[in-house]
Amino acid sequence: MKNLVVLSGAGISAESGIKTFRDSNGLWEEYRVEDVASIEGWYKNKELVIEFYNKRRRELEKTSPNEAHKSIAALEKDYHVTVITQNIDDLHERAGSTEIIHLHGELTKARSVKNDEKTYDIGYNDIHPGDTAPDGDQLRPHVVWFGESVPELQRAAQAVGKADIFLIIGTSLNVYPAAGLIHYTRPGCRIYLIDPQPFRLNLENFTQIQEKATVGMKKLMEYLTES
Ligand code: APR
C-alpha cells in the first residue's frame, strides 16, 4: 500500500463548529495567545489557562467529526494513512482514523506539571486548580504551549519523509515547527493542499484544491481514483 500522510489544522474541524485560530472571529481574536497558550501564561494565571481548556473540552463533547474527518479515515482502505494533526480535538479518532500523531497534544488528556511523560485520560471533564496527579503535582492540560518543545516532531517528519502522497488540510501553515514538515517530502511525492484561502507554495508536484475541507476531500478522492 502507498503511504498517504495528512497534516491537518483547525480548518478541518471548522465544519464541525470548532473555531479556528486565525480566521476572522477566530480564537486568537477572543484571547491573547500568550495568556492562555504559553508556559508564561500558565505561571502568570493558571486559573485562566485551566478554564480556557475546560471550556474547549466541554465544547468538544458536544461536537462531532465531519465528512472531511470521515473521508480521511476511509482512505485507510486503500492507503497506509498517517494523520499528523496540530489539533488537540479527538475528531480524527472519533471519525475512525487509526494512526494519529498529535503534534500539539490532546485536549482529552492531562499530565503532572512536573512530568511530561505520563498522561492521564480525562475525557471531556474539567480539571481544577488543586487537582493533582499521583505524583502530587498540579494537573495541567496535555497541550504543547508556545515556548514548549514538540516531542512528536521527529516521528512526524519521518512519516512525511516516507509519504507517496502528502495532504495538507485546514492549516494556515503559520506555526513552526509543524509548518516546516512540508519540506520533508521526498522527490516524487504528490502534495495536495485543501483550504478555501489561496496558497502559493514553491513545491514540486503541488496541487491546491481551493475548497473547504468537506468539499475538497470529495475532489481529492476523485483525483486519487483517477490516478
Ligand atoms: N475547511 C478547510 N480549511 C479551512 C476551513 C474549512 N472549512 N475554514 C478555515 N480554513 C483554513 C483557513 O483558511 C486557514 O488556512 O484553516 C486554516 C486555519 O488556520 P489557523 O487558524 O492558523 O489554524 P492552524 O493552522 O491549525 O494553527 C496552527 O497555531 O495557535 C496555534 O496551536 C495552535 O495548532 C494551532 C496552530
Side-chain angles (χ1 to χ4, degrees), residues 105-151:
E106 297 178 69
L107 201 45
T108 58
K109 293 185 177 160
R111 66 173 197 251
S112 159
V113 289
K114 285 277 185 312
N115 174 357
D116 57 9
E117 301 287 316
K118 185 131 185 48
T119 62
Y120 305 92
D121 282 318
I122 55 170
Y124 306 110
N125 298 309
D126 288 4
I127 54 178
H128 311 91
D131 286 354
T132 55
D135 68 4
D137 281 299
Q138 172 68 49
L139 272 181
R140 58 161 276 182
H142 176 55
V143 171
V144 176
W145 287 326
F146 285 95
E148 294 188 311
S149 66
V150 179

Side-chain angles (χ1 to χ4, degrees), residues 57-164:
R57 212 173 287 114
R58 286 180 221 132
E59 177 199 285
L60 179 57
E61 183 169 26
K62 300 194 290 285
T63 309
S64 307
N66 62 57
E67 285 311 310
H69 296 103
K70 292 174 189 165
S71 300
I72 287 173
L75 284 170
E76 294 192 10
K77 281 195 312 294
D78 302 314
Y79 298 91
H80 168 226
V81 180
T82 305
V83 176
I84 302 166
T85 186
Q86 298 170 87
N87 300 340
I88 58 175
D89 65 49
D90 60 352
L91 298 180
H92 281 300
E93 285 84 352
R94 285 158 60 192
S97 286
T98 56
E99 197 173 323
I100 302 167
I101 299 173
H102 279 275
L103 284 180
H104 296 161
E106 297 178 69
L107 201 45
T108 58
K109 293 185 177 160
R111 66 173 197 251
S112 159
V113 289
K114 285 277 185 312
N115 174 357
D116 57 9
E117 301 287 316
K118 185 131 185 48
T119 62
Y120 305 92
D121 282 318
I122 55 170
Y124 306 110
N125 298 309
D126 288 4
I127 54 178
H128 311 91
D131 286 354
T132 55
D135 68 4
D137 281 299
Q138 172 68 49
L139 272 181
R140 58 161 276 182
H142 176 55
V143 171
V144 176
W145 287 326
F146 285 95
E148 294 188 311
S149 66
V150 179
E152 294 287 3
L153 182 69
Q154 199 194 356
R155 190 153 81 94
Q158 280 165 354
V160 174
K162 294 189 189 114
D164 299 296

Side-chain angles (χ1 to χ4, degrees), residues 14 39 52 79 83 103 115 117 121-122 136 152 161 164 167-168 174 178 181 188 198-199 208 210 216-217 220:
I39 190 67
F52 173 69
Y79 298 91
V83 176
L103 284 180
N115 174 357
E117 301 287 316
D121 282 318
I122 55 170
E152 294 287 3
D164 299 296
L167 167 61
I168 303 159
N174 257 309
L181 286 170
F199 278 71
Q208 176 167 359
Q210 196 168 335
M217 279 307 298
L220 176 71

Side-chain angles (χ1 to χ4, degrees), residues 9-11 14-15 20-23 28 86-87 104 146 170-175 194-197 199 211-213:
E15 290 163 87
T20 64
F21 294 96
R22 296 174 181 81
D23 290 313
W28 296 151
Q86 298 170 87
N87 300 340
H104 296 161
F146 285 95
T171 175
S172 61
L173 294 174
N174 257 309
V175 172
I194 297 175
D195 196 299
Q197 301 296 328
F199 278 71
E211 298 284 0
K212 61 184 186 179

